[in-house]
Amino acid sequence: MRIEVDNIFRGTGGAPGKEDFLTLLESERVKVERIVSHASSTPENKWYDQAYNEWVLVARGWAVLEFEGGERVELKEGDYLTIPPHARHRVDQTAPQTIWLVVHVKEKPGS
Amino acid sequence: MRIEVDNIFRGTGGAPGKEDFLTLLESERVKVERIVSHASSTPENKWYDQAYNEWVLVARGWAVLEFEGGERVELKEGDYLTIPPHARHRVDQTAPQTIWLVVHVKEKPGS
């Protein structure tokens, strides 16, 4: 058996204002993803709106999320939250390099 | 909408030689769990043997995993791996405090 180890901080360079996506594990119901934000923000008036629970951790850096309705959530290293289905949100600000770990749960909550 | 934020490094004290488990998210097919190992090791000849894929990240500290058959895997901060179903393994050594993030995928690989 060959066990493959990788590092979540590897190869995280990128252009300012951009986001890079890397799938770490994917199966029928679950996707684990690394997102690297380079001082990026979601365009004004664009909202992320996902059908399922999304569990999000800031592994490095910091970020400010904004939810539709005005709630702002400041996140520092180690902070995590669950973004409920259809909780429309955008990334307002991030550090020069913020590394997110995201677990997409492709099932209805409570099922 | 009230968004709850917590921190993965919060409340990680514990007794040497022990492991503490905290469920961060649980649904039908997915469990996200924090495990804090306090310089702990799995007892000799005890093997973890799980039915499903387990995705594991060292969020803080370091650890050595041992797989049945003798393969040893050294993990430092940020390292992650997928432990396949029935890959029998034990924790051989950890730092005084090692914080793991584990995603249990309760489905057959490839399904």
Side-chain angles (χ1 to χ4, degrees):
Chain A
M1 182 174 50
R2 191 71 210 107
I3 299 291
E4 302 287 340
V5 177
D6 207 335
N7 192 282
I8 200 169
F9 303 122
R10 187 176 65 81
T12 51
K18 298 291 185 188
E19 289 193 305
D20 295 312
F21 298 82
L22 179 67
T23 297
L24 309 181
L25 178 75
E26 182 152 28
S27 66
E28 189 193 357
R29 300 277 196 103
V30 187
K31 183 163 85 168
V32 180
E33 189 177 41
R34 181 188 78 177
I35 303 173
V36 184
S37 299
H38 304 282
S40 73
S41 62
T42 313
E44 290 287 343
N45 299 317
K46 188 193 160 192
W47 300 96
Y48 289 114
D49 182 342
Q50 87 282 356
Y52 302 108
N53 266 331
E54 198 175 297
W55 186 89
V56 174
L57 167 80
V58 173
R60 182 169 287 174
W62 56 262
V64 180
L65 289 183
E66 182 188 356
F67 287 83
E68 199 179 39
E71 188 172 358
R72 287 168 65 84
V73 178
E74 295 181 20
L75 301 167
K76 61 185 185 307
E77 209 166 287
D79 281 349
Y80 63 86
L81 73 161
T82 298
I83 302 177
H86 301 301
R88 286 155 62 93
H89 61 283
R90 56 186 293 281
V91 178
D92 190 56
Q93 266 190 285
T94 73
Q97 188 184 79
T98 294
I99 300 178
W100 308 84
L101 184 73
V102 182
V103 180
H104 303 269
V105 179
K106 296 179 273 183
E107 61 187 57
K108 298 292 178 199
S111 68
Chain B
M1 181 175 52
R2 190 74 212 103
I3 299 291
E4 303 286 341
V5 177
D6 207 336
N7 192 281
I8 199 170
F9 303 122
R10 187 177 65 80
T12 50
K18 299 289 186 189
E19 289 191 306
D20 296 312
F21 298 83
L22 178 67
T23 297
L24 308 182
L25 178 75
E26 182 151 30
S27 65
E28 189 193 359
R29 300 277 196 102
V30 186
K31 183 163 85 168
V32 180
E33 188 178 42
R34 182 187 78 178
I35 304 173
V36 185
S37 299
H38 304 281
S40 72
S41 63
T42 313
E44 290 286 344
N45 299 317
K46 186 191 162 194
W47 300 96
Y48 289 113
D49 182 343
Q50 87 282 358
Y52 302 109
N53 266 331
E54 198 177 296
W55 186 89
V56 174
L57 167 79
V58 173
R60 182 169 285 174
W62 56 263
V64 181
L65 289 182
E66 182 187 358
F67 287 83
E68 199 180 39
E71 188 173 356
R72 289 166 64 83
V73 178
E74 296 180 19
L75 301 166
K76 61 185 184 306
E77 210 166 286
D79 281 350
Y80 64 86
L81 73 162
T82 298
I83 302 177
H86 301 301
R88 286 155 61 92
H89 61 283
R90 56 186 293 281
V91 179
D92 190 56
Q93 266 189 284
T94 73
Q97 187 184 79
T98 293
I99 300 178
W100 308 85
L101 184 73
V102 182
V103 180
H104 302 270
V105 180
K106 296 179 273 182
E107 61 187 57
K108 297 293 177 198
S111 69

